[in-house]
Amino acid sequence: MPSYTLTVNGKTHTVNAAADTPLIYVLRNDLNLMATRLGCGMSQCGACAVLADGKEIRSCTTTVSRIGGKKIHTIEGLPGLWAARTGKPLTADTLHPVQQAWIDEQVPQCGYCQSGMMIAAVDLLEKTPKPTVEQIRTAFTNNPPSPHLCRCGTYTGIVAAVQRASKAIAG
């Protein structure tokens, strides 16, 4: 079985996996990063979203062999990403503003899709620091490969949390 060197949440890991192994299985089974969820397995729900070089990808259909050289961030890595961006030390209490906004707005109900939703929010806010409500809705519903789906219907809370995070990031 081939080995792959991955940079995930700022740490380098070497994993042995078949070339066609979906990244989500490596994250969850080999690296024990359990917050990224497998939803549909077909890139159609967004629960498995992670950042690859700052851009959202779906880890259920991205194979480990295609990810080499990219910096991967999962929901667990967002505090470190924020600490690096701000130059502040990473502590046990550090949260990315998107994560804090999700808490402040009490977005999750069941929470299954929320790590993917937060990844999409981070991606959006990097590209569009002050998005309009329409831009937020578009980012979650019209961007390829497919919409982010929330069976609990927390979309109003998600929009409010993205707006709150935008203000927090802006200072």
Side-chain angles (χ1 to χ4, degrees):
M1 199 170 292
S3 67
Y4 298 93
T5 301
L6 306 175
T7 302
V8 181
N9 299 333
K11 296 179 184 173
T12 302
H13 305 273
T14 301
V15 296
N16 295 319
D20 62 349
T21 303
L23 178 60
I24 191 165
Y25 294 138
V26 171
L27 295 172
R28 291 179 63 84
N29 300 338
D30 296 324
L31 303 182
N32 202 32
L33 297 169
M34 304 305 277
T36 302
R37 307 295 178 108
L38 179 63
C40 66
M42 300 181 298
S43 287
Q44 295 189 10
C45 72
C48 68
V50 298
L51 297 172
D53 289 343
K55 181 181 178 198
E56 178 197 344
I57 64 166
R58 305 292 169 94
S59 66
C60 71
T61 56
T62 301
T63 62
V64 68
S65 62
R66 289 192 339 211
I67 210 65
K70 293 186 171 143
K71 293 179 181 170
I72 305 301
H73 283 89
T74 66
I75 193 80
E76 294 96 337
L78 292 184
L81 196 62
W82 181 247
R85 179 177 171 178
T86 61
K88 295 180 181 175
L90 177 62
T91 68
D93 296 331
T94 303
L95 289 176
H96 190 284
V98 167
Q99 293 170 305
Q100 187 61 56
W102 247 250
I103 294 167
D104 294 343
E105 293 294 332
Q106 299 181 11
V107 175
Q109 286 183 29
C110 84
Y112 199 84
C113 66
Q114 296 304 310
S115 64
M117 296 285 190
M118 285 186 263
I119 291 292
V122 170
D123 184 28
L124 169 65
L125 292 171
E126 284 298 317
K127 295 176 197 168
T128 311
K130 295 181 181 181
T132 65
V133 170
E134 188 57 35
Q135 287 172 315
I136 296 168
R137 288 182 179 149
T138 296
F140 284 92
T141 59
N142 295 331
N143 283 348
S146 66
H148 278 264
L149 302 177
C150 174
R151 290 183 178 201
C152 299
T154 63
Y155 299 109
T156 302
I158 290 167
V159 170
V162 172
Q163 290 175 316
R164 181 185 285 258
S166 172
K167 289 176 186 169
I169 291 169

